[in-house]
Amino acid sequence: MLPRLDMFKKVIFSQRISVFNESFVLLDKAKNQKTFACLWHDAIAGREKEEIVSSFNAFFLHYRDIKHFVLWVDNCSGQNKNWTLLSFLVYIVNSDAIAAVDICIKYFEPGHTFMSADSFHHQVELSLKKQKKTYDFDDFVTAVTKANSKKVEVKTMQCTDFFKWQDFSSQTNIKNIDLCLYLANITQIVANREFFSLKYKLTNNSDNIYEMNVLQNRILKKRLPSLKVFTSSCGVPRSKKETLLKNLKTIIPSNRLQFWKNLEE
């Protein structure tokens, strides 16, 4: 939550804004690459599936020359297991925006959900504590940049970085699959270039690979839709902004107060 000024009771009990950090952290520390962190706050956009998928899109565009992607993600059905994200995988791997041949997403089994991202988020927390006072979003970006021994690529998401990604699954096609398909049971999903279906496994260690043609027929015919970008930021309620300005004007420096004055309503 911003601002982060735990020493001021007036700030703690104020309605603050939320900031979001969708991080992509390397498993192999030896590689000469950095953690990629997408940052934004809820005056720009929320954290619905469209925003989460947009952060995946920013990550793939940043590493557009990579041929093969393998991502380990948690088993959150709302965030990492939904048809909008799976539709996006088919879209992005078949687009000219990246050079990827395939994208593989592996899901942790319940009870085994510790990820490299957890360690990175802990380092961000330590960076924030070291900073002591986080007045505005730029201060938060600075704290994230200094985490992980400064081996971080920060992407500050703007309104135009968010797209209205859609769910292109077909309930009719899903029901026609012989194997009773539940996203909760899937442990691995692969999207391949020049294929408009998805391959999946029900156990990570299994050799059994299944294929599902669950997208709408118009998509299966290789008719990718055009993207629709967000036309405006979410903004914050005027009453919330006015209350924040009232509570902060005597606490934070004037050069930091400018961020709150310019906050979109």
Side-chain angles (χ1 to χ4, degrees):
M1 305 293 290
L2 286 182
R4 181 177 165 130
L5 302 167
D6 295 341
M7 65 288 297
F8 296 105
K9 187 176 180 180
K10 185 183 292 187
V11 175
I12 294 175
F13 290 100
S14 296
Q15 277 191 315
R16 293 174 284 176
I17 66 171
S18 299
V19 291
F20 307 112
N21 176 7
E22 182 77 5
S23 302
F24 299 84
V25 186
L26 288 171
L27 292 175
D28 189 349
K29 300 295 184 182
K31 290 184 178 179
N32 189 27
Q33 292 184 358
K34 299 180 179 180
T35 289
F36 184 75
C38 291
L39 309 179
W40 72 95
H41 54 77
D42 60 5
I44 297 175
R47 57 175 179 181
E48 300 296 328
K49 57 186 179 181
E50 292 86 0
E51 287 88 349
I52 298 299
V53 173
S54 292
S55 66
F56 274 81
N57 181 58
F59 165 74
F60 288 125
L61 293 180
H62 184 76
Y63 292 106
R64 59 184 180 178
D65 295 324
I66 300 294
K67 295 291 185 180
H68 306 281
F69 285 97
V70 178
L71 284 74
W72 283 91
V73 300
D74 61 36
N75 229 319
C76 176
S77 57
Q79 176 172 316
N80 294 324
K81 276 191 174 180
N82 62 73
W83 291 113
T84 300
L85 176 59
L86 302 187
S87 300
F88 161 75
L89 293 180
V90 174
Y91 174 92
I92 193 69
V93 80
N94 283 289
S95 73
D96 294 329
I98 63 175
V101 177
D102 52 64
I103 299 173
C104 176
I105 293 187
K106 297 183 178 182
Y107 298 94
F108 285 102
E109 296 180 7
H112 300 274
T113 56
F114 180 79
M115 300 183 291
S116 296
D118 297 329
S119 176
F120 173 67
H121 288 152
H122 175 65
Q123 292 176 38
V124 171
E125 181 64 25
L126 293 177
S127 181
L128 287 166
K129 288 182 178 179
K130 186 176 181 180
Q131 193 177 62
K132 294 182 179 179
K133 296 179 180 180
T134 307
Y135 293 114
D136 59 11
F137 184 65
D138 285 342
D139 284 343
F140 177 73
V141 172
T142 299
V144 175
T145 304
K146 290 181 178 179
N148 195 36
S149 302
K150 297 184 179 181
K151 295 179 181 179
V152 186
E153 293 278 358
V154 171
K155 168 68 174 177
T156 54
M157 302 285 282
Q158 305 299 322
C159 177
T160 52
D161 293 315
F162 294 98
F163 296 89
K164 298 179 181 179
W165 303 103
Q166 300 178 48
D167 173 1
F168 291 112
S169 63
S170 166
Q171 291 301 313
T172 301
N173 290 347
I174 293 175
K175 291 177 181 178
N176 288 337
I177 297 178
D178 293 333
L179 181 66
C180 190
L181 179 61
Y182 294 100
L183 286 183
N185 297 333
I186 292 177
T187 60
Q188 182 176 320
I189 290 178
V190 180
N192 297 97
R193 185 171 288 275
E194 298 184 2
F195 286 90
F196 283 70
S197 60
L198 292 164
K199 296 179 180 179
Y200 66 97
K201 289 185 178 181
L202 298 176
T203 306
N204 275 318
N205 296 327
S206 172
D207 293 329
N208 295 326
I209 301 176
Y210 305 96
E211 185 174 353
M212 53 178 171
N213 294 300
V214 296
L215 299 184
Q216 298 169 11
N217 291 333
R218 65 189 179 96
I219 304 299
L220 293 175
K221 293 177 181 177
K222 302 183 179 181
R223 293 174 58 189
L224 293 173
S226 57
L227 294 180
K228 294 182 180 179
V229 68
F230 279 29
T231 55
S232 61
S233 301
C234 286
V236 296
R238 177 174 295 181
S239 58
K240 181 177 181 178
K241 178 178 177 180
E242 290 176 347
T243 302
L244 275 169
L245 286 172
K246 179 180 178 181
N247 292 338
L248 296 177
K249 65 181 180 180
T250 58
I251 296 176
I252 68 176
S254 57
N255 62 333
R256 299 297 204 282
L257 195 62
Q258 200 61 38
F259 166 80
W260 300 100
K261 290 180 178 179
N262 295 335
L263 208 61
E264 289 197 48
E265 298 177 8

